[in-house]
Amino acid sequence: MPGFHNGKSGLVRRVALAGTILSALGGAVRAEEGVNSLPFNLYGSPGLVDMPTAQVPPDATLAGTYAHFGGTSRTTLYFQILPRLSGTFRYSAIENFTANNGTLFDRSFDLRYQLLTETERRPSVVVGIQDFIGTGIYSGEYLVASKTVYPGLTLTGGLGWGRYGSYQPFGNMGTRPGKITNQGGLPEIDRFFRGDVAAFGGVSYSPNDRYTFKVEYSSDDYVDEVQRGTSKKSSPWNFGVDYRFKNGGQLSLYHVLGTEIGAQFTFVTNPKTLGVPGGTEPSGLPVAPRAPGSAADLGWTLDSQRSASVTASLKNLAAKEGLEVEGIDLQSNRVTVRLVNPKYGAPSQAFGRLARVMTRVMPASVEVFEIVPVVNGMAMSAVTFRRSDLERLEHDAANEMLARTNFGDGFGKAPPPDDGIYPKFTWAISPFVQLSVFDPDNPVRFDAGLRASAEYEITPNLIASGSITKKLTGNLDKVKRLDKSNLPRVRTDHARYSEEGDPAIEYLQLAHYGRPAKNVYSRVTLGYLEQMYAGASAELLWKPVNSRLALGAELNYIQRRDFDQLFGLQSMTTTDPVTGVKREIPNVNGHVSAYYAFGNGFHGQLDVGRYLAGDYGATVALDREFANGWRVGAYATFTDASFEDFGEGSFDKGIRFTMPLATFFGQPSRRRNDVLIQSLSRDGGARLNVNGRLYEQVRDYHKPDAVNSWGRFWR
């Protein structure tokens, strides 16, 4: 997984990469005071200076660090996946590390697991595997124990292998294979806990909640860095001091290796405890209780003007709450409402606000309220309340109302939209930024400019949409190296698309969404589907409203677009710029998919099928989603394309984050920012990028997801 850069790499570009990743995830996060109670080391994990500790931050802690010392820079993202399990992604730059004294850019992943929690009598014990699918530059394993012996005073001791066993080893546990692999991206299981074993340890002291002082004895001899002149070492003793800011940031200064001065910045937040987005919006209308005995009055049913007045009042009050009522079926004891929710990221908040509005305008005889949320013309669920429960439980916990709420399939239950609502036309002009990270010749590339987008809803289910971009600045088109690929060039021509596509039609499509049967959803999309491909895409999804399981299938027929990203199409034959070999991109690709909500916010997805380059395989993804809309996840794709054919990185993988914009503005919003950090954009395991895939739209209004944010029902 390394990338080699000829010539000396400036610190500015590495700082740019760190800033890109850290600001994307933490720049606007409202960090909570006190979340950063543990120190993070130069590897971006809980630790002293360079050595790990067995301290474990709270569940769901998300931390980002940027560290620099000597000729080494490290940018790290840390996530506490479960109360005892954590994962780390690291991007490093090591100067003077290549044969021609160039800079080595390296990506690595770590896992840590807490074997024992700390008690009054025993220490916390953690086992860790560092750089376990990287190139082996930072490969090492450790078993470490930490114990707080006095408030603020923590002792740590451990055993290390690999890098952690390179200084003054006292034993040996078999033969450890060489450090640097040719492939990268593969788990090096035969190296785990093999080779020399050495001891490390240290102590940290926090006299208050702002400062932590640390000293450690390191078992890492920095053999390769010293041999190549990146660093100098004269002592195993390292020293550090941390200063924590009230907003969750941490600034650290270090003296390491006996010769080097280092510094590190850390931000820490916790999406689990940030709270549900919003909070500064006005409160919803209160419930209007009925007068005793009024529920028996059905006189209004004989007055057509009264019914029309009720409909108009409901639409007007709902609009003031930011909701769109498109149709109403009003009966003597029951009303069904067709709802479009453009505002609230928590569906429960939309349900609660509309239900309270309904208590204020519906005739007293109407006891049953049925709300059918509609997305792209598709009825999602039918959420049913009893009016008497709303009146009785308004001041009780939201869970009391949930226990009396019924979720059913919305198939065939949504009233038709009223006349005059469709067609609808919306448009927007906004800035855009396209990022490419981890290019071995330039860690950060980007294009920035303006995007004009529009959507024309011909009918509720038939939607024409598109967007055009105009680049104002950027360097995605400046890739100079010839990127060899042993597969059809389905993604590695991205630099040429960036170079010639200005202005560019990002996509221009006509999509039809439907409900062909109970529990079944459909999508058919035609047009210029994405930056590189036009064609047709069809999808079916089976998803019962109360089920955690969903099954789907997608079939695509594609044609490669011209590099200028306008209206032209080109041959499906690609030519490798290095070898001159021609390869055909298949026209047909697709997948069958399974989705499952495991509980505790974990969502899994498995896609099996044919990818753009014609390779067959599967993509496994796991995301953890929180009630406030934050999401942290990872994916990996394995296909029958050999690691040699795939090229650098061995297989497609990445980590991703979803940040609801309501977190930053304090107002309800369905808008969000998705951040994907990929190792490299290669041709193997590449998938078509289609707008409007069904699962994310559908699950939002089904019971397993809606109950996660039910605490917003009365907000």
Side-chain angles (χ1 to χ4, degrees):
M1 296 174 65
F4 301 98
H5 174 67
N6 294 324
K8 188 172 182 179
S9 173
L11 179 60
V12 173
R13 286 193 300 171
R14 296 196 294 278
V15 173
L17 176 61
T20 297
I21 297 175
L22 300 186
S23 63
L25 297 173
V29 175
R30 296 178 299 181
E32 300 170 295
E33 186 171 0
V35 297
N36 187 10
S37 59
L38 297 181
F40 284 75
N41 64 15
L42 286 165
Y43 283 106
S45 295
L48 294 164
V49 178
D50 217 26
M51 297 293 103
T53 66
Q55 295 170 294
V56 176
D59 182 32
T61 294
L62 178 64
T65 65
Y66 176 73
H68 182 80
F69 65 98
T72 298
S73 300
R74 298 173 187 158
T75 303
T76 306
L77 290 172
Y78 172 94
F79 182 58
Q80 194 67 37
I81 304 169
L82 291 168
R84 295 192 180 203
L85 178 67
S86 66
T88 302
F89 168 74
R90 183 181 307 102
Y91 186 73
S92 306
I94 310 175
E95 296 177 359
N96 303 320
F97 206 85
T98 67
N100 56 357
N101 294 323
T103 297
L104 171 71
F105 296 106
D106 179 74
R107 296 168 297 279
S108 54
F109 295 86
D110 308 346
L111 285 175
R112 287 167 46 103
Y113 185 78
Q114 187 179 36
L115 299 174
L116 296 174
T117 57
E118 184 175 353
T119 66
E120 290 186 3
R121 299 194 175 200
R122 76 179 183 211
S124 170
V125 178
V126 165
V127 61
I129 304 175
Q130 183 170 287
D131 195 2
F132 70 99
I133 57 171
T135 58
I137 302 298
Y138 289 128
S139 175
E141 302 81 48
Y142 54 86
L143 183 67
V144 61
S146 295
K147 183 74 174 72
T148 299
V149 296
Y150 182 80
L153 181 63
T154 301
L155 303 181
T156 292
L159 301 176
W161 293 258
R163 283 192 71 111
Y164 293 116
S166 59
Y167 181 76
Q168 297 294 324
F170 64 84
N172 182 277
M173 296 180 63
T175 301
R176 189 180 185 91
K179 285 189 175 181
I180 301 177
T181 65
N182 293 325
Q183 197 63 57
L186 297 175
E188 301 289 344
I189 299 175
D190 60 340
R191 301 168 68 184
F192 294 172
F193 302 97
R194 300 279 186 88
D196 292 339
V197 186
F200 62 86
V203 58
S204 65
Y205 177 61
S206 302
N208 52 48
D209 61 356
R210 289 287 176 261
Y211 288 95
T212 297
F213 299 92
K214 303 176 290 187
V215 59
E216 70 177 18
Y217 175 85
S218 171
S219 60
D220 185 348
D221 206 21
Y222 277 77
V223 176
D224 292 323
E225 289 88 343
V226 171
Q227 288 179 349
R228 290 171 168 83
T230 299
S231 303
K232 297 179 180 179
K233 180 178 179 181
S234 63
S235 172
W237 292 98
N238 299 327
F239 305 89
V241 58
D242 304 328
Y243 178 78
R244 284 181 288 275
F245 301 96
K246 290 184 177 181
N247 67 355
Q250 173 183 300
L251 179 64
S252 305
L253 296 176
Y254 302 116
H255 183 266
V256 295
L257 308 179
T259 59
E260 304 285 359
I261 299 295
Q264 175 173 298
F265 175 74
T266 305
F267 84 84
V268 181
T269 189
N270 192 315
K272 183 178 181 179
T273 58
L274 276 174
V276 177
T280 63
E281 74 275 16
S283 299
L285 293 171
V287 171
R290 292 169 291 184
S294 62
D297 182 8
L298 296 175
W300 67 273
T301 60
L302 303 177
D303 184 352
S304 59
Q305 290 185 346
R306 176 77 185 279
S307 298
S309 175
V310 166
T311 298
S313 296
L314 179 62
K315 287 187 174 183
N316 181 57
L317 287 179
K320 291 181 179 180
E321 299 286 355
L323 299 170
E324 299 175 12
V325 172
E326 291 192 338
I328 301 173
D329 179 16
L330 181 59
Q331 301 175 17
S332 59
N333 301 108
R334 184 185 188 96
V335 62
T336 301
V337 176
R338 179 189 181 101
L339 169 67
V340 173
N341 169 30
K343 180 176 182 179
Y344 298 98
S348 58
Q349 188 171 5
F351 297 152
R353 293 213 168 196
L354 183 59
R356 279 173 283 168
V357 167
M358 293 166 73
T359 67
R360 307 189 73 82
V361 300
M362 288 296 144
S365 66
V366 179
E367 167 66 12
V368 178
F369 294 168
E370 185 176 48
I371 299 174
V372 182
V374 175
V375 179
N376 290 332
M378 298 180 292
M380 295 297 163
S381 55
V383 186
T384 306
F385 311 99
R386 298 195 70 84
R387 187 174 188 169
S388 53
D389 290 332
L390 292 165
E391 293 170 334
R392 182 168 50 89
L393 299 173
E394 181 182 15
H395 302 293
D396 290 353
N399 284 341
E400 294 294 326
M401 193 66 216
L402 175 61
R404 292 162 177 80
T405 301
N406 181 68
F407 282 79
D409 193 344
F411 178 69
K413 294 185 177 181
D418 295 335
D419 294 338
I421 294 179
Y422 293 91
K424 290 181 181 179
F425 178 74
T426 56
W427 64 277
I429 296 178
S430 60
F432 83 91
V433 176
Q434 293 179 342
L435 284 174
S436 174
V437 296
F438 310 134
D439 179 342
D441 295 323
N442 193 336
V444 182
R445 295 185 187 275
F446 75 96
D447 283 348
L450 294 176
R451 172 185 288 122
S453 58
E455 183 174 275
Y456 184 61
E457 298 176 72
I458 303 168
T459 70
N461 302 85
L462 186 62
I463 303 170
S465 60
S467 70
I468 300 173
T469 59
K470 172 58 183 175
K471 184 168 64 175
L472 301 179
T473 186
N475 60 355
L476 287 181
D477 57 340
K478 303 302 182 183
V479 177
K480 295 181 180 179
R481 67 172 183 159
L482 297 177
D483 197 356
K484 179 182 176 182
S485 176
N486 293 328
L487 296 169
R489 297 179 65 81
V490 296
R491 290 300 183 202
T492 45
D493 281 334
H494 61 87
R496 189 169 178 186
Y497 278 93
S498 175
E499 180 181 9
E500 298 188 24
D502 184 29
I505 300 172
E506 284 188 303
Y507 70 96
L508 183 62
Q509 65 181 38
L510 181 67
H512 182 273
Y513 300 89
R515 291 295 313 269
K518 184 178 180 180
N519 300 328
V520 179
Y521 303 79
S522 66
R523 172 188 59 81
V524 178
T525 308
L526 305 172
Y528 299 90
L529 302 176
E530 55 141 280
Q531 178 188 32
M532 298 185 184
Y533 297 98
S537 175
E539 182 184 7
L540 279 176
L541 179 73
W542 174 83
K543 173 69 171 70
V545 71
N546 293 310
S547 174
R548 294 179 180 272
L549 175 68
L551 301 174
E554 178 181 293
L555 184 65
N556 307 306
Y557 182 89
I558 60 170
Q559 186 68 37
R560 195 162 60 136
R561 296 178 61 184
D562 279 347
F563 293 119
D564 62 9
Q565 297 177 66
L566 296 178
F567 294 101
L569 302 174
Q570 63 175 305
S571 167
M572 298 290 277
T573 302
T574 68
T575 303
D576 190 280
V578 178
T579 64
V581 175
K582 297 183 181 296
R583 295 182 176 89
E584 290 290 324
I585 302 174
N587 292 103
V588 178
N589 62 76
H591 294 77
V592 293
S593 303
Y595 313 85
Y596 193 78
F598 292 98
N600 196 28
F602 283 94
H603 291 265
Q605 181 174 340
L606 173 66
D607 302 299
V608 180
R610 192 186 200 192
Y611 293 81
L612 286 174
D615 46 334
Y616 290 87
T619 299
V620 180
L622 183 65
D623 296 271
R624 187 174 182 188
E625 184 173 323
F626 302 95
N628 53 25
W630 276 78
R631 189 185 307 178
V632 182
Y635 77 92
T637 299
F638 305 92
T639 74
D640 59 359
S642 68
F643 296 127
E644 291 78 11
D645 286 344
F646 183 92
E648 185 178 345
S650 301
F651 61 95
D652 187 36
K653 52 195 170 294
I655 55 179
R656 55 197 184 189
F657 302 84
T658 295
M659 299 173 288
L661 297 188
T663 296
F664 309 135
F665 303 123
Q667 294 288 326
S669 173
R670 293 192 62 79
R671 296 178 61 193
R672 67 187 200 184
N673 186 28
D674 295 318
V675 178
L676 173 63
I677 301 176
Q678 266 181 306
S679 293
L680 284 171
S681 294
R682 302 292 302 178
D683 296 315
R687 192 172 178 186
L688 188 69
N689 297 323
V690 181
N691 290 288
R693 284 191 167 111
L694 293 171
Y695 180 67
E696 290 298 320
Q697 301 181 63
V698 172
R699 75 177 178 94
D700 204 20
Y701 291 96
H702 283 194
K703 186 175 181 178
D705 275 39
V707 300
N708 287 337
S709 62
W710 200 259
R712 300 289 289 177
F713 182 83
W714 291 120
R715 179 64 181 89

